[in-house]
Amino acid sequence: MSLVTVTILNFPVGQRYRAFANMGRWLMKPFATPGLGFQKMMGTGKNFGLWPDFSRYVFVGVWEAETQARSFFGSAHWQTFLPEQASSTQTQPATLYLQPIKSHGLWDGIDPFSPGNNVPGPAAENTPIAVLTRASIRTGALLDFWRNVPDARKRIGEQGDNLIMALGAGEKPIVQQCTISVWKSAALVDQFAYRQSGHREIVKKTKQRKWYSEELFARFVVLKMEGFD
């Protein structure tokens, strides 16, 4: 079964140009390393909004094994993509190690997170669960989509201690969006996704108004959280 990593990179003010340049480096030449299949380097938006956050970037990788992921994260090449003095608490990369539970939809024409026939059993009651959503927004739906983002952001903000973390990212500003959240349990994810008033209505709008030309929803068991406070 594949392993998924989500690494958050935080850059101080003086290194943000370098961080932006790293995005260009990766786009021109994605990582070539044993065991790494699907990969994405993404920028982030401030508070899930349109305004970019040039201090934070996210790398998503799908690996054959954890040993291969750790070997790459310890490599000299990966170190060139990190903020300088990454040993400090403010610039230390934070990585989620995830095992896919279920996934449906497509990302660039494939489902990179499908567990196939190796679906793990139900997670223990208090096991953290990660959720990743990704969508390409149709040009004609952009205005309607972004009008509804503040309401969706409000619903996330109301979750309080149910959420361990949440952020918005994307490959292309405005038109390609990704959300990554970590919840304290599967029950809390289900409560928000299927029973939370307001969120249900937003989900309905995505289908009724055909906001997306491509979309994906994936859920994971959190195996490890390294570098998080």
Side-chain angles (χ1 to χ4, degrees), residues 199-210:
H199 182 263
R200 293 196 310 269
E201 286 68 24
I202 291 173
V203 172
K204 289 179 182 177
K205 286 181 181 179
T206 66
K207 298 178 180 179
Q208 294 170 348
R209 302 184 184 182
K210 299 179 180 179

Side-chain angles (χ1 to χ4, degrees), residues 53-136:
D53 183 351
F54 292 108
S55 70
R56 176 175 288 180
Y57 293 82
V58 177
F59 175 68
V60 176
V62 180
W63 306 85
E64 293 176 4
E66 182 178 341
T67 53
Q68 294 165 321
R70 291 194 177 278
S71 177
F72 174 70
F73 290 144
S75 69
H77 184 49
W78 173 247
Q79 299 303 310
T80 66
F81 281 80
L82 302 184
E84 295 176 3
Q85 298 178 339
S87 59
S88 71
T89 56
Q90 292 183 337
T91 58
Q92 179 69 33
T95 299
L96 299 169
Y97 289 81
L98 310 174
Q99 182 178 8
I101 300 173
K102 60 182 179 180
S103 178
H104 62 82
L106 301 175
W107 190 337
D108 288 349
I110 64 170
D111 181 354
F113 307 124
S114 175
N117 296 323
N118 298 314
V119 180
E125 183 176 350
N126 294 321
T127 299
I129 299 294
V131 175
L132 183 150
T133 66
R134 187 270 180 183
S136 292

Side-chain angles (χ1 to χ4, degrees), residues 130-193:
V131 175
L132 183 150
T133 66
R134 187 270 180 183
S136 292
I137 307 162
R138 293 189 305 106
T139 302
L142 283 170
L143 184 59
D144 191 30
F145 171 85
W146 284 105
R147 279 175 177 164
N148 284 270
V149 166
D151 191 36
R153 182 169 56 224
K154 178 183 177 183
R155 302 302 172 190
I156 286 285
E158 292 171 345
Q159 297 312 300
D161 292 340
N162 294 342
L163 266 176
I164 297 173
M165 59 150 284
L167 60 84
E171 305 130 272
K172 296 179 181 177
I174 303 176
V175 297
Q176 290 183 329
Q177 296 298 307
C178 175
T179 66
I180 300 165
S181 57
V182 178
W183 302 73
K184 289 187 174 179
S185 71
L188 292 172
V189 176
D190 292 339
Q191 176 180 310
F192 178 74

